[in-house]
Amino acid sequence: MEESVAETAGMVTELMPAAEEEDEDDDDDNHDDLAGRFLRLEQEQNALLQALPPFGEPVSHVYHPLDYAWEPHCDFVRRYCRTPKRVLFLGMNPGPFGMAQTGVPFGEAWHVREWLRVVGGVKKPPSEHPKRPVLGLACRRAEVSGARFWGLVRTLCPDPHLFFRHCFVHNHCPLLFLASSGRNLPPNELPPAQRDQLMGLCDRALARAVGLLGVGLVVGIGRYAERRARRALATTGLAVRVEGLPHPSPRNPRANRGWEELAKARLGELGVLELLERDGGATGR
């Protein structure tokens, strides 16, 4: 649901050192180690989020995809996050028919299953909303945002490995919040004290992820993600540029008037198209 717009107070904490660039000739153990460190970082974040007090009204259900969809999420990270990244595309938090189903950011099931070739079993969340069942990679309902985002990536890079040579996709917050009606709840609708604590933990994790992957450009997908990234990285000392991309959600009127062309134009302005097209994305940093 990465399209919400909110500004909340974050906190910045000590960062992990940035990862060094690895040569393409490095052995698989070194490549896999970066993925393993990224997954451990996410596990640490998830443990802190699990320890937060229960969210009060209007929240009735909280989904933790990094618990029940951990298998496909691990497969996604180990397939595509084996080397440092120049660009990090950042969403807000899972959508009910995207990452909440597959464990992959913007993870519309068809693209995750058929194009990214991600595999893994998905369990049920401990408390499942009857209107938002988790069906995993077999989910037949498309998430528009995910279909638009990964559809654009597939158009630009028919082989997903070309995209992930320099880019990765991540969410600021890994939790989905639902009201009793089943409606998505953006973080700005959470009780203020809990919202601020949640956002602070997620800001810290984002800063660590950016440092770990050696990211030079964060592209916030939607204004919320862009603003949150600016706040999280403002005082870290990392040489990171933060820019924005229009959100592909159907709730964004601009996205319903040719989002793919808008996004391609913006990626051209940011130099990302050139990065993806240059020798099929095969050049080094």
Side-chain angles (χ1 to χ4, degrees):
M1 150 180 167
E2 299 85 344
E3 58 269 23
S4 175
V5 178
E7 292 251 23
T8 56
M11 67 181 186
V12 177
T13 57
E14 185 176 353
L15 303 177
M16 294 174 62
E20 295 296 327
E21 174 69 21
E22 298 180 56
D23 291 330
E24 289 298 316
D25 294 330
D26 282 355
D27 60 42
D28 285 346
D29 288 341
N30 287 337
H31 288 165
D32 189 62
D33 183 63
L34 180 62
R37 283 183 284 158
F38 187 86
L39 290 168
R40 286 193 294 275
L41 186 158
E42 291 189 304
Q43 287 178 314
E44 291 169 10
Q45 178 191 16
N46 204 36
L48 294 172
L49 295 176
Q50 292 275 22
L52 291 174
F55 290 90
E57 290 293 335
V59 178
S60 71
H61 291 72
V62 181
Y63 284 15
H64 294 249
L66 295 190
D67 286 336
Y68 64 79
W70 182 245
E71 283 189 18
H73 180 77
C74 280
D75 189 53
F76 171 68
V77 172
R78 292 198 181 278
R79 282 175 185 265
Y80 298 119
C81 194
R82 293 158 60 85
T83 56
K85 308 299 178 184
R86 296 180 66 173
V87 181
L88 182 68
F89 287 89
L90 183 72
M92 185 178 81
N93 71 321
F97 305 106
M99 185 174 175
Q101 299 291 333
T102 65
V104 175
F106 289 92
E108 189 253 350
W110 186 91
H111 278 90
V112 171
R113 185 182 63 245
E114 304 296 334
W115 187 62
L116 295 174
R117 299 293 183 181
V118 166
V119 298
V122 177
K123 302 174 184 177
K124 291 286 189 178
S127 178
E128 185 178 57
H129 195 291
K131 293 184 178 180
R132 294 292 180 262
V134 172
L135 303 175
L137 297 176
C139 180
R140 293 185 176 273
R141 181 163 173 176
E143 183 182 67
V144 175
S145 295
R148 285 175 173 171
F149 176 79
W150 288 114
L152 171 63
V153 173
R154 183 163 55 98
T155 297
L156 297 174
C157 298
D159 179 350
H161 290 90
L162 299 180
F163 172 77
F164 288 106
R165 187 178 293 273
H166 295 303
C167 303
F168 197 59
V169 185
H170 187 54
N171 271 330
H172 177 258
C173 174
L175 306 181
L176 168 68
F177 303 94
L178 298 173
S180 58
S181 65
R183 180 176 68 89
N184 291 348
L185 289 172
N188 63 308
E189 294 186 24
L190 301 177
Q194 292 179 311
R195 177 191 65 206
D196 293 349
Q197 189 175 10
L198 170 73
M199 293 295 99
L201 291 175
C202 293
D203 282 354
R204 176 189 177 189
L206 174 61
R208 294 178 67 199
V210 167
L212 175 66
L213 298 181
V215 170
L217 171 65
V218 174
V219 180
I221 304 174
R223 291 184 179 180
Y224 175 91
E226 179 185 355
R227 291 171 179 171
R228 202 72 240 173
R230 288 188 189 280
R231 180 167 297 208
L233 300 171
T235 59
T236 62
L238 295 172
V240 183
R241 197 164 50 114
V242 178
E243 302 289 351
L245 186 71
H247 199 283
S249 169
R251 289 191 281 180
N252 176 6
R254 294 179 65 200
N256 296 323
R257 298 192 297 269
W259 178 81
E260 182 169 309
E261 292 307 312
L262 284 173
K264 285 174 67 175
R266 181 60 175 150
L267 293 178
E269 294 171 0
L270 299 178
V272 177
L273 282 186
E274 178 186 0
L275 179 68
L276 297 178
E277 294 168 355
R278 187 187 307 150
D279 296 330
T283 57
R285 292 177 143 231

